[in-house]
Amino acid sequence: MALDETHDPARLSWVESANAAGCEFPVQNLPFGVYGTRGDGKPPRGGVAIGDQVLDVAGFSKALGFTGPAAAAAAACAEPNLNLLMSLGRAHWAALRLALSRALSKERGWEDRRARASGCLMPMDQAVLLVPARIGDYTDFYTSIFHATNVGKFFRPDNPLMPNYKWVPIGYHGRASSIVASGTPVTRPSGQLKPPAAEIPVFGACRNLDYETELGFFIGTGNDLGMPLKIGEAAEHVFGAVLLNDWSARDIQAWEYQPLGPFLAKNFATTISPWIVTMGALEPYRTAAFKRPAGDPAPLPYLTDAADQAQGGYSIAVEMFLRSEQMRTAGMPPLRLSHGNYRDAYWTLAQMVAHHASSGCNLQPGDLLGTGTLSGDTPDSLGSMLELTQRGANPVKLPSGESRAFVADGDEVIQRGRCSREGYATIGFGEAAGQVMPAITA
Ligand code: CA
């Protein structure tokens, strides 16, 4: 994929709200999602965010007479999930993006296009935004060396980073059924807890509930079982990115994680933003892969590709906010807890994908790969409360006078993300938000 007219910062849309300063969904973005509408009896369908509106992609294509691959890709958006669109591949995605960009532009013939499209747009605040794909499998990586080191320090102060970290893109297979769209309440989990001083564990409500600031990448086209992907072509299989909050029960995790890794501590909820920002839209924000410090080993050949090293990073800013019940009642805005950037990840997206498939594991359209917590090397870029409060030792002060060692009932945790670059439009991800509900006590 390359830079083209769809990235032209001068292009405006006849959907006027898309042209407003600070709008997350200008015509240069065009993220895909799945939406339903309250009470109209229509099944959910694929849409694109433009300004403060949602566009019915299949209906728009019919109304404007899209042809060829663009029409085929748009027709796939009539489905109640985006898996079919994802399975079509890059040529179809690019053709649809180009057709949508031209059709929505305020360029020659726009008044006619706007007239024909009447009935294809609805205000986003009236739409119900859903999980955009049928997610068969979800894998969570651990690609920030800063996060891995910070977390390792709590367990192994002298040797925080495990010896495999710089060789293997570490990950684990997560739980797909509990991935929820932004706005879905998150119930505090219960589980086995064993404080260090206790003799035996107890079963009870999690006391150390945390979030993890991540991105999630949706696989578009998969690979056949037994057929690995070459690093140089791995990124072509990715459809796009969402914000991802990997809710984590730290006390459950501490007791259960050895020897097989996270289980119930991370399977009760994962919140994602509903709009998938496509790899096509992310093209201008590519950057060099993270520069490994001198002395670090070079990746093994199956994870090494010159183009990936030169352009396989993405500059995507991610922020996490918190608003307590008290702050909400007092009308206070959410407090920003951290801001980091995906370009600081030790492993690239292509390395994640190539490594995942290197065993012959078959990735499938709609699979979701989490990046792991995106912490940077500065105190204001720590992507979890575990790191921010040093495992609860230094609680965060809230503007309401409250403090937080971990997340409390009633708290809303809100993630945001955006891409900007000199000479290009700024595009946003919307938000991945969830409010914590009290544990269910039997
Ligand atoms: Ca995680």
Side-chain angles (χ1 to χ4, degrees):
M1 218 162 277
L3 292 171
D4 59 30
E5 66 181 89
T6 68
H7 306 105
D8 180 354
R11 178 163 280 178
L12 297 175
S13 176
W14 49 260
V15 179
E16 286 297 339
S17 58
N19 307 326
C23 174
E24 293 197 283
F25 307 118
V27 71
Q28 291 81 7
N29 193 345
L30 304 176
F32 286 82
V34 168
Y35 70 106
T37 40
R38 293 181 191 89
D40 72 352
K42 285 190 193 166
R45 55 206 174 276
V48 149
I50 177 79
D52 61 5
Q53 305 284 305
V54 181
L55 180 76
D56 172 352
V57 177
F60 188 58
S61 167
K62 272 190 203 150
L64 274 84
F66 286 5
T67 56
C77 294
E79 299 279 314
N81 57 60
L82 297 177
N83 294 63
L84 179 58
L85 173 67
M86 290 168 166
S87 73
L88 294 177
R90 294 225 302 177
H92 280 83
W93 308 334
L96 180 54
R97 175 175 166 80
L98 181 61
L100 288 170
S101 175
R102 286 178 176 168
L104 288 165
S105 75
K106 202 172 181 176
E107 289 156 25
R108 200 160 64 90
W110 68 270
E111 282 148 316
D112 172 56
R113 292 197 298 278
R114 183 178 66 178
R116 280 194 283 164
S118 70
C120 297
L121 286 164
M122 69 173 294
M124 199 183 295
D125 60 13
Q126 288 174 26
V128 182
L129 303 174
L130 305 169
V131 171
R134 193 181 61 252
I135 302 171
D137 279 295
Y138 159 51
T139 302
D140 200 17
F141 282 85
Y142 203 46
T143 63
S144 161
I145 195 169
F146 304 111
H147 174 69
T149 304
N150 292 338
V151 172
K153 275 180 191 159
F154 297 125
F155 300 102
R156 300 170 299 276
D158 300 331
N159 188 19
L161 203 63
M162 296 296 278
N164 57 3
Y165 188 86
K166 293 177 180 178
W167 297 96
V168 186
I170 300 289
Y172 68 96
H173 285 125
R175 182 77 195 170
S177 67
S178 52
I179 296 172
V180 297
S182 180
T184 307
V186 172
T187 301
R188 177 177 297 272
S190 292
Q192 280 202 29
L193 321 168
K194 186 182 166 298
E199 279 287 314
I200 58 167
V202 295
F203 185 87
C206 163
R207 298 163 194 172
N208 298 348
L209 182 61
D210 201 357
Y211 58 80
E212 292 192 334
T213 311
E214 308 194 15
L215 291 171
F217 286 92
F218 276 101
I219 295 295
T221 51
N223 58 298
D224 292 334
L225 184 64
M227 294 297 292
L229 293 172
K230 289 191 177 66
I231 175 82
E233 63 195 31
E236 295 174 16
H237 290 258
V238 180
F239 180 73
V242 290
L243 306 171
L244 186 152
N245 174 1
D246 176 23
W247 296 92
S248 299
R250 299 298 182 198
D251 40 4
I252 298 173
Q253 184 180 3
W255 172 231
E256 75 171 7
Y257 89 103
Q258 286 175 322
L260 288 186
F263 181 32
L264 304 181
K266 285 170 178 281
N267 76 354
F268 56 93
T270 303
T271 301
I272 61 172
S273 55
W275 294 113
I276 307 175
V277 177
T278 63
M279 301 317 288
L282 291 173
E283 192 64 29
Y285 317 102
R286 289 176 70 159
T287 181
F290 180 78
K291 192 165 161 37
R292 293 184 167 214
D296 280 14
L300 291 176
Y302 81 102
L303 295 174
T304 304
D305 175 72
D308 185 49
Q309 286 302 304
Q311 283 283 294
Y314 286 88
S315 183
I316 302 174
V318 286
E319 299 174 302
M320 201 56 108
F321 298 81
L322 186 142
R323 181 157 64 170
S324 69
E325 191 93 61
Q326 227 182 86
M327 290 166 68
R328 196 164 43 251
T329 307
M332 293 175 177
L335 172 71
R336 188 168 78 168
L337 299 178
S338 68
H339 54 112
N341 197 299
Y342 181 46
R343 67 175 170 239
D344 295 331
Y346 194 80
W347 296 102
T348 65
L349 174 61
Q351 288 171 325
M352 278 163 53
V353 174
H355 181 67
H356 203 313
S358 64
S359 63
C361 172
N362 49 330
L363 298 170
Q364 297 186 293
D367 282 359
L368 184 63
L369 309 187
T371 57
T373 309
L374 296 172
S375 295
D377 62 353
T378 55
D380 55 7
S381 65
L382 301 173
S384 69
M385 215 165 235
L386 177 74
E387 295 162 271
L388 205 60
T389 69
Q390 278 119 40
R391 222 177 179 177
N394 295 315
V396 176
K397 300 252 182 308
L398 303 182
S400 53
E402 304 166 278
S403 67
R404 287 287 182 274
F406 287 97
V407 183
D409 290 348
D411 287 355
E412 285 173 276
V413 177
I414 305 155
Q415 187 181 354
R416 307 191 69 83
R418 74 180 173 281
C419 299
S420 52
R421 179 181 159 196
E422 184 79 40
Y424 289 89
T426 294
I427 64 173
F429 279 72
E431 65 179 33
Q435 186 177 2
V436 175
M437 299 292 146
I440 307 291
T441 45

